[in-house]
Structure formats: structure tokens, C-alpha cells
Amino acid sequence: MKTKKEHFSEPLHLESGRILSEFDLVYETYGRLNADHSNVVVVCHALTGSHHAAGLYEGDAKPGWWDGLIGDGKGIDTSKFFVICVNILGSSFGSTNPHSIEPSTGEEYRLRFPVLAISDVVKAQMKLFSRLGIERAHAVVGGSLGGMQAICFAIEYPEFAHNVIIMASTYATQPWAIAFNKIAVEGIRRDPAFKGGYYDRADIEKDGLVGMALGRMAGHISFLSPYSMERKFSRNYVQTDGLYELFGRYEVERYLEYNGYNFPRRFDPLSYLYIVKMMNNFDVTRHYETLTGAFALTNPAANIHLVAFSGDVLFPPALMREIYDALIKLGREKTAHYICIDSDYGHDAFLVEIPKIEAYVRDALNSNLN
């Protein structure tokens, strides 16, 4: 496992028409790059993920977010593949973000930071891969917002990846997901401690941000499902709370409090606003009129694997099925693959239920391995 940062002094022209005159990307790699650079697997992280996809940092108790899937002998086998995961632009884990210094002013961007699109963060990654001498990837893999990135790789850089594996994602963010995101956005904006985006980060890390915490609670509800909540918490009551205390809590309430109030201490509010906007704006049909029009630009020889989860209420399986149907209309029967995995966990199944996806991912990566 190696973590590095690359600085780019060249401009990045954004979908909005604005320009980042320079930018940084932090990335992490696992495994060894072979002589002809043909064993690259690009892993794309989700909304609050980072480049730290696997392995354990010294002193940490918790490994990378997809550690169960990435490693020697695992689904994404680092004894075969060179795996690279890039922290996307806008994120608060080292890549250029709203707290980076704006070259023209010498001050942090804050709300002057440009609104980014998924296409922008993928374009930046392609610049990184070019610098690293990676012209093609064996595969691009991602779930949720990571799946959106994988879709952009497939459409906008069709010759880049031999295999594209998209999990728990969508071709366009739907009103249901945008509505959940709105709760967090309004909570952050209306919290006096946010100070219109000019808060002291040390204060947020110390004291949190109540509005963001409440929004994150709503988010966690969308990541799970009624069935997984029943299985995880049932109607269990916190043992130290009185049943007839007004603010006594059920275990599910304590879970939401813990995750909600800790979240602002590890993820920056401005980064969250910018990445949520990026997710809300995602719609591949915007530039290509129809779904078939967008996916007609993909490489007919590239395998596109669509992995949905039956209990996903944030991005329901029907959205992934629409992509598959569009590919079939384009005559891609041999290279388009769709599977809906039986799971009642919810949206986060792609992160949690590794045994249900590991064999599929392994087979998809090994099916045309030279």
C-alpha cells in the first residue's frame, strides 16, 4: 500500500465553463504494476469515501472502506492486479477542495470553489493516469458515486477500460435521492456555526455541526432498509435509558446519533456540499439526449457489468436495469451483463455484503485476463 500526491500546474477546464488553474490529487495503490501496464484496476470511491480503499494505516483500528474486497487472494486480487484509488476533486482527504488555496487570491477558495461534475473528477484522474504511464486499465470498478465515475469512464473515455463494473448506481440521480440530500444541505446552510461557509475547521472538528449531523442521520436511513434496520436493532431500547424518560432512546436512535454527530468531525461540511451537488447534477442523458445515445459512445468490445441490489431504496435496481436495456438495444448482448443481488441490507450492501459480490467481481475481472 502506497499513498502519494501529484500536483498539476496545468489548467483543468470544467464542465461549468470555469477553470482550475492548478490542482492536486491524492491516490493510493496496492499490488505491483506489470511490465506492460496491463493489470491496472481503477477503484472509484463513493460520496464520503477516500483514496484509502484497503489496508490499515499505522495506529488505525479500521481498515480502508473496501478492505474486504481488495487484497491478495480477494475479489480484486492484488497478487494479480495493480489497484489504484484516487481521492476525487472536492473531497476533504487531500485532493484540491474548497479549503485549498486559490492561486489568484492566496486565500482558501471556500464558496468561490467551482461546482464540479462527475466528468470533471474523471478528467482529472485521466490526467493522473497519463502522468503515471497508464494508457489503459484492465477494469474500472465503483459503487454509488463511484459507479457514476465508472459510467463516465465508459462513455467519455471508451478506449480506456476493458471492463467496467458499476454497483448500486444510476445513470441519473433521481428526486428521491436529491430529496434526502436536501435535508443535509439545508441543515448545513442554516446552522449558525457554518458561518456562511467561513467557519473555523478546528471548531467543527471539535464541536461538530448539528445541521450536518441531522442531515447525515437522514442519509443513513436511505443507506439502509426497513429490513436491515429491523434485523440490526429490532425494538431494542438503550439499557441505560428509562422507557418513560422523554428523551430515552431506542437503539436505532442511538445509532443515528452516533453516526450523525461524529460525521462532521471527520468530513468537511463544504466538501460535503460540493460533492452532494456533483451527485445531484449527475445525468448522462443531459448531453446525449437519451440513454441509448449516451451508451452508444461506449466501446462495443468492453464488458459493462451492472450490479444492483434488491433492497436498495436510494438507487433502486430498475435504474441499473434501464442501462442494461439500453445496451441490449444497442446490440451489446455479448458484452452487457446485469445482475440483481438478493439483499435486504439497503444501498450500502455493496460496501458491507462482500461475500455476495466477491465471486462475481473476481469472475468479471478474470474472464478476459491475458
Side-chain angles (χ1 to χ4, degrees):
M1 176 177 68
K2 296 180 181 178
T3 306
K4 297 181 180 180
K5 177 185 282 191
E6 286 285 336
H7 176 73
F8 295 82
S9 56
E10 61 195 86
L12 184 70
H13 294 261
L14 306 176
E15 184 178 291
S16 66
R18 292 189 61 186
I19 299 171
L20 281 177
S21 60
E22 59 182 51
F23 62 97
D24 295 327
L25 289 178
V26 172
Y27 66 99
E28 199 159 282
T29 63
Y30 318 85
R32 181 171 294 181
L33 189 62
N34 62 12
D36 63 359
H37 293 192
S38 63
N39 69 332
V40 176
V41 173
V42 176
V43 169
C44 304
H45 69 75
L47 195 156
T48 60
S50 73
H51 54 283
H52 184 42
L56 196 64
Y57 291 154
E58 186 177 350
D60 281 359
K62 190 175 180 180
W65 53 270
W66 234 358
D67 186 71
L69 191 65
I70 301 170
D72 285 3
K74 297 179 182 180
I76 303 177
D77 189 348
T78 51
S79 67
K80 295 180 180 178
F81 300 110
F82 177 75
V83 179
I84 182 167
C85 183
V86 185
N87 184 225
I88 64 171
L89 290 175
S91 177
S92 55
F93 294 110
S95 294
T96 294
N97 64 70
H99 292 288
S100 298
I101 299 300
E102 184 178 11
S104 63
T105 65
E107 299 177 348
E108 291 186 356
Y109 281 98
R110 299 282 176 152
L111 293 178
R112 293 189 304 274
F113 194 68
V115 169
L116 299 168
I118 300 288
S119 295
D120 298 327
V121 303
V122 169
K123 181 191 290 186
Q125 290 180 61
M126 287 296 294
K127 288 182 178 289
L128 171 65
F129 300 149
S130 178
R131 179 174 291 185
L132 298 177
I134 298 171
E135 296 180 0
R136 298 202 70 181
H138 178 68
V140 174
V141 188
S144 194
L145 185 127
M148 296 175 183
Q149 294 171 62
I151 289 172
C152 280
F153 274 109
I155 293 172
E156 296 168 16
Y157 304 93
E159 301 302 318
F160 179 66
H162 296 287
N163 304 278
V164 180
I165 304 175
I166 303 156
M167 300 187 197
S169 196
T170 177
Y171 63 88
T173 303
Q174 302 297 314
W176 176 258
I178 295 171
F180 272 108
N181 287 339
K182 179 64 173 176
I183 298 171
V185 169
E186 286 301 299
I188 293 169
R189 289 182 63 199
R190 308 300 175 186
D191 193 317
F194 181 61
K195 298 180 180 179
Y198 289 88
Y199 51 87
D200 187 320
R201 282 184 285 172
D203 291 342
I204 301 298
E205 290 173 5
K206 177 187 174 187
D207 302 324
L209 191 69
V210 173
M212 187 174 181
L214 298 178
R216 186 61 174 175
M217 291 183 200
H220 265 281
I221 295 171
S222 74
F223 303 152
L224 298 174
S225 74
Y227 309 103
S228 58
M229 279 199 172
E230 168 62 29
R231 186 169 58 249
K232 194 177 183 77
F233 307 109
S234 189
R235 281 184 49 79
N236 295 331
Y237 206 76
V238 175
Q239 291 184 356
T240 55
D241 289 5
L243 182 63
Y244 297 104
E245 294 175 13
L246 180 59
F247 298 110
R249 298 161 299 166
Y250 286 87
E251 287 289 356
V252 65
E253 295 176 295
R254 181 161 69 172
Y255 167 83
L256 291 175
E257 285 181 1
Y258 175 81
N259 284 283
Y261 288 111
N262 279 297
F263 181 62
R265 295 185 173 93
R266 69 173 183 86
F267 202 91
D268 179 70
L270 275 172
S271 284
Y272 191 79
L273 290 176
Y274 274 92
I275 299 176
V276 162
K277 184 66 174 180
M278 180 194 306
M279 173 180 273
N280 286 350
N281 281 353
F282 182 68
D283 179 359
V284 299
T285 68
R286 179 183 294 117
H287 303 298
Y288 309 109
E289 294 187 2
T290 65
L291 201 51
T292 52
F295 278 87
L297 299 176
T298 60
N299 184 350
N303 288 298
I304 297 180
H305 298 267
L306 302 155
V307 183
F309 297 85
S310 60
D312 188 346
V313 296
L314 190 65
F315 297 138
L319 297 171
M320 298 281 275
R321 180 74 196 202
E322 285 185 60
I323 297 175
Y324 177 72
D325 291 343
L327 289 167
I328 296 303
K329 286 182 181 178
L330 292 166
R332 308 287 178 80
E333 292 86 354
K334 293 182 179 180
T335 55
H337 313 274
Y338 170 83
I339 182 173
C340 183
I341 291 175
D342 185 20
S343 168
D344 61 10
Y345 190 90
H347 178 67
D348 273 359
F350 80 97
L351 294 171
V352 176
E353 297 194 312
I354 302 300
K356 292 188 176 183
I357 63 173
E358 186 171 25
Y360 186 86
V361 171
R362 180 184 292 111
D363 290 347
L365 292 178
N366 291 340
S367 60
N368 61 348
L369 185 63
N370 293 330

